[in-house]
Each structure stands twice: as structure tokens, then as C-alpha cells.
Amino acid sequence: MAWMAWTVPTAIFFCVIALALLTFTVLAIRYPETPRLGVLRIETTRGDRLFITLLGSAFINLAWLGTMSGPQWWALILCLVYATAVFRWV
């Protein structure tokens, strides 16, 4: 596949996403949960919060690339703070 740059960071990224999906699937099977009402006033489960986190992190990284001149690692730190907030309060 010459059209895509399969680098080590790209492979790590996709492996982490796959591992997160697998982990959340196992958690949903072993420990079912009832949806909870968070700050957004919508019912969410762990999987919903994971999806919100991944979607928001994509936008944070795109905004970082378009507006900041700092290293992309800082955007990762910002995404981890965002993920913590989503899983805590959403």
C-alpha cells in the first residue's frame, strides 16, 4: 500500500484504538452498567464516553495542527486532560 505512510506511530495509534475497543467490549460484557446522566444532560455509557473522547481528541489534534506551532505531544497531553474530564463528568 504505497499510498499510506505506515510508520511506527501510525501502527501504535491503530493498535491503541483497537485495544481500547476490545477492553471496553470486555468491560461491557463482564460488568454491564446502567447509563448515567452527566453534565451534558444525556444518558451515556462507557462506550458513549469513549466515542465522545475519540471524536473530541481528533478535533483537538486537528485544531492544534492548524493553529499552533508547538510539538504535537502537547496536543496529546491536552487530549488526556480532555479524556479525563469526559469520563469524569459526561
Side-chain angles (χ1 to χ4, degrees):
M1 298 174 95
W3 59 272
M4 188 168 207
W6 284 105
T7 62
V8 172
T10 304
I12 292 171
F13 171 78
F14 282 108
C15 286
V16 167
I17 298 296
L19 185 61
L21 290 172
L22 181 65
T23 301
F24 276 74
T25 301
V26 170
L27 282 173
I29 293 168
R30 283 195 58 127
Y31 308 106
E33 72 169 334
T34 56
R36 71 177 192 196
L37 198 62
V39 72
L40 294 179
R41 311 309 303 162
I42 59 172
E43 289 185 347
T44 59
T45 62
R46 284 184 292 252
D48 297 331
R49 291 187 292 276
L50 177 65
F51 177 75
I52 292 168
T53 299
L54 291 174
L55 191 61
S57 295
F59 284 116
I60 288 170
N61 277 286
L62 287 173
W64 187 274
L65 284 172
T67 61
M68 301 293 183
S69 61
Q72 195 66 27
W73 289 107
W74 295 355
L76 174 63
I77 294 168
L78 185 60
C79 288
L80 292 174
V81 170
Y82 171 72
T84 303
V86 167
F87 274 92
R88 176 74 175 107
W89 292 301
V90 174

